[in-house]
């Protein structure tokens, strides 16, 4: 009735749907029905029973006993206890919602209780986390950017560094060094998530770090604390920093270049991130930091951790490549078969060094590519195919009378079809096997004369030479032809009489000749 009334008042279907909080499809369907049809439909709907109606008592008892029971669990329990019941999970969800409203059984949610704890002492702790954003570029395109952020837990003094590609472990280590230079010291404890760049495995407190990060930790003597999985609240300070960087610095900012972007971020940190009064401490992080930095451990001028670990081995693949960080890097041709594994190092300037022996000479070196699925190949590692082609050309040319002329022809074929020269030579060789030397030489001269530089044209030249030779043979034998009978030669030269066409026209008109 409401739909009909609004429709009669001049509202369109979209407006009716919005006012009544229903879908436009429902509006269309009800408007098509007459009042009589609606009355019949309502009466029939009241007689229908819900599919789960016979299970209402069981479901209600479950909900009363376990107020935090989810609809998904109700669906699973029904499937377990009544295997023959065929009902969808969405139907169960809607029915459970109706029963909660009907019997006033609100769903109880388990709340975690939080307790405020005092900030750690100055210089004691820093928290670290990663984030990513999507930014518009100056060309109107979209780019994904990644950042790592640090915050000193006492002063809330922050640092952030950006990349236009995902971070690697070595990127994380370099970012730590930059952060320590920014902080002018090292905190006594670092708090992290269980990120794959840092942690290989964790079992009841036993932490196994990645090889590179473990070396770095030992070199810098870092005290590391890892949060439990799926527990972001345990490092809430850095979680807030990640959100602050995203919403205050990066949001709606246009990306031009990575170096410019990092410069803008450092300016933002000085101006806002560390210069603005913190909502919790009611102090400016930059001002508190002037006191806290005196409690940090000093940063040594140099570290050994950037010296790569040369004990990492890689299997040599059949195509003479190795896999590193989802990319293929080439090794010299013949390495596969000679050895089945090599040893790799990653240098400070991001080069991949490959050796056959752990301390042996370098057999390959590549710049690391941070894309995925890329083949990084040194041209010196590929097969020199020209040596085999040169020998092939020489073997074919020697079969011609004029070897030098044949060489010139075959070199022109190579210049015309450099990628398919082997196929061209095979076709020429196949054609030569079916002809005599004279035809072969004549075809070669014909190709050179007409500048035909392909195997198919050489084959056509051969066929042309064959036809010409047959014509010449026919012409030379014409003068030696003798009649099969002994008639006079003069009879062969007799020509029949021919009439003028006018005579035929006259006959057709009925005239007598």
């Amino acid at each position: 009735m409401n739909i009909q009334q609004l429709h009669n008042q001049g509202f369109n279907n979209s407006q009716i749907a919005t006012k009544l909080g229903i879908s436009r499809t429902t509006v269309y369907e009800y408007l098509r029905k007459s009042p009589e049809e609606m009355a019949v439909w309502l009466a029939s709907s009241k007689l229908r029973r819900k599919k789960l109606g016979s299970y209402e008592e069981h479901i209600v008892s479950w909900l009363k006993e376990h107020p935090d029971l989810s609809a998904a669990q109700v669906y699973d329990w029904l499937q377990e206890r009544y295997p023959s019941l065929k009902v969808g999970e969405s139907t169960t969800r809607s029915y459970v919602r109706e029963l909660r409203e009907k019997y006033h059984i609100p769903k109880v949610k388990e709340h975690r209780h939080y307790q405020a704890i005092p900030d750690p002492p100055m210089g004691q702790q820093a928290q670290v986390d990663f984030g990513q954003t999507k930014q518009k570029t100056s060309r109107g395109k979209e780019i994904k950017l990644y950042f790592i952020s640090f915050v000193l837990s006492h002063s809330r003094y922050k640092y952030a560094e950006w990349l236009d590609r995902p971070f690697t472990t070595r990127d994380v280590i370099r970012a730590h060094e930059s952060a320590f230079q920014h902080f002018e010291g090292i905190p006594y404890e670092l708090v992290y998530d269980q990120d794959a760049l840092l942690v290989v495995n964790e079992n009841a407190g036993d932490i196994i770090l990645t090889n590179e990060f473990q070396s770095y930790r030992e070199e810098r003597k870092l005290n590391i604390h890892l949060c439990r999985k799926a527990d972001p609240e345990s490092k809430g300070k850095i979680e807030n920093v990640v959100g602050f960087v995203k919403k205050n610095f990066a949001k709606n900012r246009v990306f031009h270049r990575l170096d410019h972007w990092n410069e803008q971020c450092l300016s933002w940190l000085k101006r806002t991130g560390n210069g603005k009064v913190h909502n919790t401490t009611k102090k400016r992080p930059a001002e508190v930091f002037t006191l806290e930095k005196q409690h940090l451990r000093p940063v040594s001028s140099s570290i050994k951790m950037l010296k790569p670990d040369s004990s990492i081995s890689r299997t040599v693949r059949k195509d003479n490549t190795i896999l590193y960080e989802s990319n293929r890097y080439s090794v010299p041709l013949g390495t596969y078969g000679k050895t089945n594994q090599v040893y790799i190092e990653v240098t400070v300037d991001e080069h991949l060094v490959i050796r056959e022996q752990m301390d042996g000479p370098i057999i390959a070196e590549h710049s690391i590519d941070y894309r995925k699925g890329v083949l990084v190949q040194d041209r010196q590692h590929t097969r020199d195919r020209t040596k085999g082609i040169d020998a092939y050309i020489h073997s074919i040319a020697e079969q011609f009378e004029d070897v030098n002329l044949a060489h010139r022809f075959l070199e022109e074929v190579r210049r015309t079809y450099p990628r398919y020269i082997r196929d061209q030579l095979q076709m020429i060789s196949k054609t030569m096997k079916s002809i005599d030397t004279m035809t072969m030489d004549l075809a070669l001269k014909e190709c050179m004369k007409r500048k035909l530089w392909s195997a198919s044209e050489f084959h056509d030249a051969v066929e042309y030479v064959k036809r010409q030779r047959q014509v010449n043979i026919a012409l030379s034998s014409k003068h030696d032809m003798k009649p099969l009978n002994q008639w006079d030669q003069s009879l062969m030269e007799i020509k029949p009489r021919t009439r003028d066409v006018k005579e035929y026209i006259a006959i057709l008109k009925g005239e007598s000749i």
Side-chain angles (χ1 to χ4, degrees):
M1 290 177 62
N2 290 337
I3 291 172
Q4 291 289 349
Q5 288 175 359
L6 291 172
H7 181 70
N8 293 334
Q9 291 174 12
F11 291 96
N12 60 36
N13 295 340
S14 297
Q15 293 170 333
I16 294 172
T18 303
K19 282 181 173 293
L20 299 180
I22 59 178
S23 68
R24 284 181 295 174
T25 307
T26 303
V27 176
Y28 297 146
E29 182 181 352
Y30 285 8
L31 284 175
R32 284 198 299 265
K33 294 182 179 180
S34 65
E36 293 78 11
E37 291 175 329
M38 285 299 299
V40 173
W41 179 80
L42 285 172
S44 65
S45 65
K46 291 179 181 179
L47 297 174
R48 289 188 299 173
R49 296 186 59 187
K50 293 187 177 294
K51 198 168 187 179
L52 291 172
S54 57
Y55 304 94
E56 179 176 343
E57 184 178 346
H58 300 286
I59 298 174
V60 170
S61 65
W62 297 341
L63 294 176
K64 287 182 177 179
E65 185 178 357
H66 310 284
D68 61 338
L69 195 66
S70 66
Q73 286 178 292
V74 172
Y75 176 74
D76 181 67
W77 287 12
L78 287 171
Q79 295 289 317
E80 181 181 7
R81 291 164 173 77
Y82 309 103
S84 60
L85 175 63
K86 303 298 181 183
V87 66
E89 188 171 356
S90 59
T91 303
T92 306
R93 192 180 304 113
S94 300
Y95 189 66
V96 169
R97 191 183 305 116
E98 291 178 10
L99 292 181
R100 285 189 180 277
E101 294 177 0
K102 180 179 178 181
Y103 293 96
H104 307 289
I105 311 174
K107 186 175 181 180
V108 177
K109 295 183 179 179
E110 184 178 353
H111 294 282
R112 179 175 177 178
H113 299 284
Y114 298 94
Q115 178 182 357
I117 57 174
D119 290 334
M122 288 188 177
Q124 177 64 31
Q125 185 191 86
Q127 297 183 4
V128 188
D129 202 4
F130 298 89
Q132 59 187 46
T133 65
K134 289 184 178 180
Q135 305 295 143
K136 289 290 185 182
T137 67
S138 55
R139 298 183 178 180
K141 297 183 179 180
E142 194 174 72
I143 186 173
K144 200 170 188 179
L145 298 178
Y146 305 82
F147 68 94
I148 183 172
S149 53
F150 300 76
V151 62
L152 294 174
S153 297
H154 183 87
S155 64
R156 308 304 203 274
Y157 196 72
K158 308 166 192 68
Y159 175 75
E161 188 171 317
W162 295 77
L163 284 178
D164 54 2
R165 54 173 173 77
F167 277 79
T168 66
T169 303
R170 296 188 67 78
D171 294 326
V172 173
I173 294 173
R174 280 196 302 273
H176 276 68
E177 288 299 299
S178 299
F180 296 155
Q181 294 296 328
H182 185 75
F183 293 150
E184 301 180 39
I186 303 175
Y188 287 87
E189 181 185 55
L190 292 167
V191 179
Y192 302 91
D193 259 341
Q194 295 192 26
D195 193 276
L197 294 174
L198 311 175
V199 182
V200 175
N201 196 8
E202 187 269 340
N203 183 20
D206 294 330
I207 307 298
I208 302 176
L209 299 177
T210 59
N211 191 38
E212 284 183 295
F213 199 73
Q214 178 64 27
S215 300
Y216 178 61
R217 174 189 181 182
E218 293 172 356
E219 184 66 26
R220 279 299 190 197
K221 297 180 174 56
L222 302 179
N223 181 23
I224 291 176
H225 173 75
L226 294 176
C227 299
R228 292 179 179 273
K229 294 182 178 179
D231 186 21
E233 290 86 352
S234 59
K235 54 179 182 60
K237 296 180 180 68
I238 192 63
E239 294 287 344
N240 290 334
V241 170
V242 170
F244 192 32
V245 172
K246 286 182 179 181
K247 296 175 183 177
N248 194 287
F249 168 70
K251 189 176 181 180
N252 298 322
R253 191 180 292 269
V254 178
F255 176 84
H256 296 277
R257 302 186 317 275
L258 184 63
D259 56 348
H260 182 245
W261 184 266
N262 275 305
E263 289 173 3
Q264 288 180 317
C265 185
L266 288 174
S267 298
W268 173 84
L269 285 170
K270 183 177 181 181
R271 179 181 65 253
T272 303
N274 295 321
K276 186 178 178 181
V277 174
H278 195 276
N279 288 335
T280 302
T281 65
K282 305 303 179 184
K283 299 176 182 178
R284 299 181 191 277
E287 295 176 356
V288 183
F289 172 70
T290 57
L291 298 174
E292 183 173 17
K293 66 181 180 181
Q294 301 174 23
H295 298 268
L296 298 172
R297 292 195 294 117
V299 183
S300 59
S301 58
S302 62
I303 54 175
K304 301 177 182 177
M305 70 87 202
L306 288 176
K307 185 180 184 303
D309 184 359
S310 61
S311 63
I312 304 174
S313 64
R314 284 292 187 273
T315 301
V316 181
R317 295 152 58 92
K318 187 181 294 185
D319 57 357
N320 287 284
T321 61
I322 63 166
L323 283 178
Y324 178 73
E325 297 289 345
S326 301
N327 288 330
R328 293 174 294 155
Y329 293 85
S330 68
V331 294
L333 197 69
T335 304
Y336 176 78
K338 182 179 179 182
T339 180
N340 59 0
Q341 73 174 10
V342 292
Y343 297 88
I344 64 171
E345 297 177 357
V346 179
T347 63
V348 180
D349 56 351
E350 300 189 358
H351 277 71
L352 184 69
V353 175
I354 307 173
R355 292 181 170 89
E356 282 189 17
Q357 303 297 328
M358 191 177 300
D359 298 319
I362 297 174
I363 63 170
E365 184 173 352
H366 302 277
S367 296
I368 294 177
D369 196 313
Y370 288 99
R371 294 172 293 173
K372 300 296 182 183
V374 176
L375 171 62
V376 183
Q377 190 173 51
D378 189 332
R379 289 188 177 183
Q380 296 181 357
H381 297 165
T382 58
R383 179 182 288 110
D384 186 1
R385 300 177 182 274
T386 58
K387 294 181 180 179
I389 297 299
D390 288 338
Y392 202 174
I393 288 176
H394 184 70
S395 65
I396 293 177
E398 284 189 327
Q399 300 179 45
F400 290 89
E401 182 180 357
D402 191 338
V403 177
N404 292 332
L405 187 65
H407 265 292
R408 286 165 51 197
F409 168 69
L410 296 174
E411 287 298 335
E412 287 293 340
V413 174
R414 174 194 271 185
R415 188 180 61 80
T416 307
Y417 298 97
R419 293 183 59 190
Y420 303 97
I421 181 58
R422 187 175 296 275
D423 296 330
Q424 291 283 320
L425 295 175
Q426 288 175 348
M427 290 176 63
I428 292 172
S429 179
K430 183 178 179 181
T431 302
M432 290 167 58
K433 290 178 180 178
S434 60
I435 57 176
D436 57 85
T437 306
M438 183 182 294
T439 304
M440 187 167 64
D441 291 330
L442 290 173
L444 174 63
K445 292 176 182 178
E446 195 67 30
C447 287
M448 295 298 293
K449 176 183 176 182
R450 301 178 182 274
K451 298 182 179 180
L452 306 175
W453 316 125
S454 72
S456 59
E457 289 172 325
F458 177 76
H459 181 272
D460 293 341
V462 167
E463 295 300 320
Y464 171 76
V465 169
K466 285 182 179 179
R467 289 195 299 271
Q468 287 298 109
R469 292 181 67 187
Q470 290 175 356
V471 169
N472 292 336
I473 292 172
L475 290 175
S476 63
S477 61
K478 181 177 179 181
H479 300 290
D480 300 332
M481 184 174 60
K482 294 182 180 180
L484 297 176
N485 51 36
Q486 298 299 322
W487 291 351
D488 189 357
Q489 182 66 28
S490 61
L491 295 177
M492 301 295 295
E493 298 177 358
I494 295 176
K495 294 184 178 180
R497 178 191 171 198
T498 57
R499 292 175 179 267
D500 191 272
V501 69
K502 294 180 180 179
E503 295 183 17
Y504 292 101
I505 294 174
I507 293 173
L508 292 172
K509 290 181 178 180
E511 299 179 6
S512 58
I513 302 300

